[in-house]
Amino acid sequence: PLNVNCRVEQFGLLMEGLEGEKMEVVESMGFGHLKHLSGQAMNKELGYWLMTRVNADTGELMAGDGREFTLSSEQVQCVLGIPKGERPVPLQMDDTNRVEIEKICRWFSKVEYGKACISIVDAKEYVFGEEVDSEKYRVAFLVVLLGMFLCPTTNFSSLASELTPALCAAEEASQYDWCSFVLDFLLRRARAFSHSFDTDGYAVGCGGCTNFLVIFYLDRLRRPPVRWGEYPRVKVFDKDLLKNVAEADRRNSGDFGKTK
């Protein structure tokens, strides 16, 4: 079974359940456009196929007819509408954020397979809870956002340890460049995916925001444009449109790349 871990449908349901003060917090963080994921679903077969077409070294995606498109942080912003601020998202723990990271770990840390990690499950419970403490709620939402949609891995219950420093950006999230952060993570996962695929002929799963790849790709097929000029594109490609365009691009063999 294809293990494409960008859990669009589950995250869309979460966004659908946020109202009032909670949605105001999310919008102030710069992630309000992701409410358009409500009711959407991930085409796992297409997402998997696209991951086989990503050149992580050059940052390019090859279409079915061999044409190559450059993936960029600007394209991530056009598709998802997430912040592309001037400040780089923290990648490492140092003296400036050590105390903050330790506090976050006390909030949502759990032990899994003998190793401490940030629990996506616990953070999700807090997001759906009654308390809307500004600082803790922002961190909890960011844990869920990264773990389920923007930077997912093959672990459904815990956040990748490399993402922990990024949680320090929760308080002023709108000022950070999440577009570059998400693209870099996707390309790292594409590199690991490609290594497994080239070695074994298949890969058991892939991480990263494959939903971005799906919309980026379908939006460039030679077909009548849909609400062209309206951004972010995630609000244009609803569940039915994604399904119909993807099926039109499917070859008789079951693979994709039929449409130029």
Side-chain angles (χ1 to χ4, degrees):
L2 301 179
N3 191 8
V4 178
N5 303 307
C6 190
R7 287 165 282 172
V8 178
E9 190 168 359
Q10 294 181 43
F11 185 75
L13 288 173
L14 181 142
M15 292 297 292
E16 187 177 327
L18 300 183
E19 299 177 343
E21 187 178 356
K22 291 182 177 180
M23 180 53 73
E24 290 177 4
V25 172
V26 171
E27 289 178 342
S28 70
M29 294 175 69
F31 300 112
H33 285 300
L34 297 182
K35 63 186 178 183
H36 297 292
L37 292 172
S38 175
Q40 292 196 20
M42 180 71 194
N43 188 317
K44 293 186 177 183
E45 291 179 309
L46 177 57
Y48 189 95
W49 179 75
L50 288 172
M51 285 295 282
T52 69
R53 317 282 300 178
V54 174
N55 186 326
D57 295 326
T58 63
E60 293 176 329
L61 174 68
M62 180 182 290
D65 58 359
R67 184 169 181 178
E68 297 177 335
F69 294 93
T70 300
L71 303 173
S72 69
S73 59
E74 288 78 12
Q75 296 293 353
V76 175
Q77 186 181 42
C78 288
V79 171
L80 301 179
I82 60 177
K84 192 179 184 306
E86 297 181 355
R87 298 165 65 176
V89 177
L91 300 175
Q92 298 178 339
M93 182 170 69
D94 52 36
D95 293 337
T96 63
N97 61 15
R98 188 178 304 276
V99 174
E100 183 72 15
I101 291 176
E102 291 175 350
K103 178 177 64 176
I104 292 172
C105 288
R106 288 194 298 271
W107 284 342
F108 301 112
S109 183
K110 73 171 184 178
V111 176
E112 185 178 66
Y113 305 115
K115 182 180 179 181
C117 54
I118 300 294
S119 172
I120 299 174
V121 177
D122 292 348
K124 186 177 179 180
E125 290 181 357
Y126 189 88
V127 170
F128 278 122
E130 296 182 1
E131 185 179 358
V132 191
D133 177 86
S134 180
E135 181 183 8
K136 189 173 181 179
Y137 189 85
R138 288 169 183 265
V139 172
F141 177 78
L142 193 55
V143 170
V144 176
L145 173 61
L146 295 177
M148 293 182 66
F149 182 66
L150 292 182
C151 302
T153 66
T154 53
N155 189 331
F156 291 108
S157 62
S158 303
L159 192 70
S161 58
E162 63 188 285
L163 299 176
T164 303
L167 301 177
C168 296
E171 187 65 25
E172 299 177 328
S174 62
Q175 300 180 22
Y176 287 84
D177 183 4
W178 294 101
C179 297
S180 296
F181 185 76
V182 168
L183 180 59
D184 290 344
F185 187 89
L186 175 65
L187 292 178
R188 289 200 302 273
R189 294 296 164 176
R191 183 174 289 106
F193 177 90
S194 178
H195 177 75
S196 297
F197 199 90
D198 292 343
T199 301
D200 303 321
Y202 69 95
V204 294
C206 56
C209 190
T210 45
N211 183 256
F212 158 69
L213 286 181
V214 168
I215 296 178
F216 177 90
Y217 170 73
L218 295 182
D219 218 8
R220 281 156 180 76
L221 296 181
R222 190 177 299 171
R223 54 184 305 279
V226 181
R227 290 156 60 183
W228 196 242
E230 187 172 346
Y231 297 96
R233 300 303 289 167
V234 69
K235 68 186 294 186
V236 176
F237 279 81
D238 58 24
K239 183 177 180 179
D240 291 335
L241 181 61
L242 283 170
K243 179 181 178 180
N244 293 337
V245 179
E247 286 304 311
D249 188 54
R250 190 187 294 271
R251 300 177 186 271
N252 293 334
S253 62
D255 214 340
F256 296 90
K258 178 180 179 180
T259 310
K260 304 300 182 182

